[in-house]
Amino acid sequence: MPLLQQICQRILYLVPILLVVSFGIFMLLRLGGGDPIAQYLTLSNLPNTPEMIARLRVEFGLDEPLLWQYAVWLYRAIMLDFGTSFMSGQAVSGEFFALLPATLKLVGLGVVLIGVFATLFGVLGALYKGRIPDIVISIVCFIGACMPNFWLSFLLVWLFAITLGWLPAVWDSSVASYVLPSISIAFMSLCITARLLRASMLEVMDSSYVAYASARQIPRPIITLKHIFANALLPIIAMMGMHIGELLGGALIIESIFAIPGIGLYCLNAIANHDFPIIQCFVIVLCVIFTLANLLSDVLCAYLDPRVSL
């Protein structure tokens, strides 16, 4: 099957996935026990009377049957209208997409860090297997894979912002203010990817075509780059799509720690306030980005290795 046809099929598969995810999150939010009306009245200092509650339920459209609420929301979401925030009264789409660039910058820097340092650590670990560089990298990667990103954030702030004063502790729109958040959000995925690349390279090193290339007296750097690294890279590319979803999910915590005005902090506040339209918008956009990122990584793998099928 041609690659383009496979890509079109994968994009079509996105439709039922989004329908299932949107329906699931819509029902879970409304059946989960949280009452946005009570939260709205508390934050707005309005009287918590039955008349006020009834009026607001009509205003927010919460008096309709759940399936009808979902149908109305789905129709508007197709038009990129995700409703109005219960707390601010502003259109969710406008606020969400205005904050999205800050999160994409953070995630983009995280992807760059994963790509560069995971490759460096993985290659060094494979080439120096069992020696000091490999042992040091293995220890660092083991600690990084076990350490939660929020705890790493506190350690980085304490060391580089408070103790040394080299970097800002909170976001101030400068490039330097993205350094600590991007390291915090990417370090766990970086360590996992480095270990995977090391294992993949060691597996390729034992293959017959590498032994044949060595027997032909091809220079070792060429064997390492062309035969070992190039073939070991496919699992890493496949994982990058998963890592993008992990980074977007991690933005919820990292943006709140460093006060980054992105969609992660925006959604975290919405969760605290039971602001359903914002949470639904976040989950749907996250699902779309995650699915497209995985599709892109699969396409790259299929392009680099014709044996791979989507």
Side-chain angles (χ1 to χ4, degrees), residues 163 218 245 305:
T163 305
I218 296 176
D305 188 348

Side-chain angles (χ1 to χ4, degrees), residues 35-46 56 59-60 86-89 273:
D35 187 1
I37 302 298
Q39 190 75 11
Y40 177 82
L41 292 174
T42 301
L43 295 176
S44 304
N45 293 320
L46 295 175
L56 289 176
E59 181 179 335
F60 292 156
F86 292 163
M87 300 300 126
S88 68
N273 296 325

Side-chain angles (χ1 to χ4, degrees), residues 115-133:
V116 173
F117 288 98
T119 300
L120 178 63
F121 292 165
V123 170
L124 288 177
L127 295 180
Y128 293 93
K129 178 186 177 183
R131 288 181 276 179
I132 292 179

Side-chain angles (χ1 to χ4, degrees), residues 30-245:
R30 280 150 180 80
L31 300 176
D35 187 1
I37 302 298
Q39 190 75 11
Y40 177 82
L41 292 174
T42 301
L43 295 176
S44 304
N45 293 320
L46 295 175
N48 193 347
T49 62
E51 294 78 11
M52 181 63 71
I53 293 174
R55 185 177 69 82
L56 289 176
R57 288 187 65 84
V58 173
E59 181 179 335
F60 292 156
L62 298 176
D63 60 323
E64 302 288 347
L66 286 179
L67 292 179
W68 177 254
Q69 290 183 41
Y70 173 72
V72 172
W73 175 85
L74 181 62
Y75 173 76
R76 292 176 177 173
I78 294 174
M79 306 300 176
L80 297 182
D81 177 9
F82 291 95
T84 302
S85 170
F86 292 163
M87 300 300 126
S88 68
Q90 302 296 318
V92 172
S93 301
E95 292 182 336
F96 189 90
F97 291 108
L99 298 173
L100 184 60
T103 300
L104 292 181
K105 288 179 184 178
L106 176 62
V107 172
L109 287 172
V111 171
V112 171
L113 288 177
I114 294 172
V116 173
F117 288 98
T119 300
L120 178 63
F121 292 165
V123 170
L124 288 177
L127 295 180
Y128 293 93
K129 178 186 177 183
R131 288 181 276 179
I132 292 179
D134 181 35
I135 295 173
V136 173
I137 291 172
S138 297
I139 293 173
V140 172
C141 290
F142 176 78
I143 295 173
C146 299
M147 183 180 296
N149 54 16
F150 66 86
W151 180 245
L152 178 62
S153 301
F154 296 141
L155 293 179
L156 292 176
V157 169
W158 170 78
L159 178 61
F160 293 103
I162 298 175
T163 305
L164 300 176
W166 291 353
L167 295 167
V170 294
W171 185 84
D172 59 7
S173 75
S174 65
V175 176
S177 64
Y178 277 102
V179 175
L180 296 183
S182 60
I183 294 174
S184 302
I185 202 172
F187 194 65
M188 179 183 291
S189 298
L190 187 158
C191 294
I192 295 172
T193 305
R195 295 296 296 170
L196 177 63
L197 178 59
R198 175 187 179 274
S200 182
M201 287 188 64
L202 291 176
E203 182 180 355
V204 174
M205 284 179 181
D206 294 332
S207 60
S208 57
Y209 57 83
V210 172
Y212 177 69
S214 299
R216 292 171 56 198
Q217 297 184 347
I218 296 176
R220 191 64 188 179
I222 296 179
I223 294 177
T224 301
L225 181 63
K226 185 177 180 180
H227 296 279
I228 299 176
F229 178 72
N231 288 283
L233 197 59
L234 291 179
I236 309 305
I237 295 175
M239 278 196 66
M240 288 307 294
M242 302 291 293
H243 286 322
I244 290 175

